Amino acid sequence: MCIRDRVYARHLVHGGALYYNQQDLPVDGFTSPLDLLIKSAVMRLSHADPISVTWWVSLILHVGVALFGFHLAEWLARRQRLESPLVIATVAGIVLGSAQALGDGSAFLLETPLWVLLGLAATSVVLFAPPVQPTAQVALGALLIAVLLARPEGLALSLMLLVLLVRERRWLIAGSIFTV
């Protein structure tokens, strides 16, 4: 969430609308509606300084990426019966957590850690635990929509994952994730 987005968040929290200048009409000038909504909600609940809120939320999401990578690598290593799954998981967590692009996105308080975390989660579910029950399919649909709302590139990732599900015939009705 760059400085421009903090202005949107502040106006959303205090005025209930997404606008940059108070005299203007609401306008979309942000890249991640989900990041904006999450950070605005934390600002509203905590009544804290917008810069510290965006910093803490970005840090928590960044650490979340490293921890998710750790747990995913450990799960995969145990599933493949590899030796030293904790060592493999630790290396994976460190590699993910210290990736330069993720670090840059986090340092500039952008939506990068949110998008990476949601993208990793969606990809993991599709590849390793595709849902069979309708409620789980709806949950994955919500996750894929969250990936899309986190960054514009999320559309490509979500569509790729849906195509993979259909191609692998893991779902009888791929469209069921968007119906309740």
Side-chain angles (χ1 to χ4, degrees):
M1 175 179 269
C2 63
I3 291 172
R4 177 193 69 236
D5 289 352
R6 280 192 291 280
V7 172
Y8 280 104
R10 186 180 68 227
H11 288 158
L12 179 62
V13 168
H14 297 295
L18 292 170
Y19 57 86
Y20 191 81
N21 295 315
Q22 291 183 345
Q23 65 273 16
D24 293 340
L25 295 173
V27 64
D28 293 356
F30 43 88
T31 55
S32 176
L34 184 60
D35 186 62
L36 181 70
L37 290 173
I38 290 170
K39 291 175 180 173
S40 296
V42 174
M43 278 183 223
R44 177 88 170 164
L45 294 172
S46 68
H47 304 287
D49 174 59
I51 293 174
S52 64
V53 166
T54 55
W55 188 87
W56 279 105
V57 171
S58 294
L59 177 65
I60 290 166
L61 291 168
H62 187 114
V63 170
V65 168
L67 290 174
F68 190 90
F70 173 88
H71 288 293
L72 178 62
E74 181 188 23
W75 180 79
L76 288 171
R78 291 189 191 286
R79 184 175 174 192
Q80 297 297 317
R81 300 183 198 283
L82 299 177
E83 290 185 34
S84 306
L86 289 178
V87 172
I88 293 168
T90 301
V91 170
I94 290 171
V95 167
L96 273 172
S98 63
Q100 184 175 357
L102 179 64
D104 290 346
S106 295
F108 289 107
L109 306 177
L110 300 175
E111 66 276 356
T112 308
L114 174 65
W115 188 76
V116 172
L117 185 60
L118 291 171
L120 275 173
T123 303
S124 299
V125 169
V126 168
L127 293 178
F128 306 117
V132 180
Q133 281 80 20
T135 54
Q137 291 179 355
V138 170
L140 177 59
L143 183 58
L144 293 175
I145 291 169
V147 169
L148 168 63
L149 292 174
R151 282 200 55 86
E153 305 91 275
L155 177 62
L157 179 59
S158 293
L159 288 175
M160 265 185 356
L161 293 172
L162 278 174
V163 167
L164 180 64
L165 281 171
V166 172
R167 190 177 136 279
E168 296 293 323
R169 299 178 197 267
R170 293 184 176 175
W171 279 353
L172 297 175
I173 304 170
S176 67
I177 65 169
F178 296 107
T179 60
V180 177

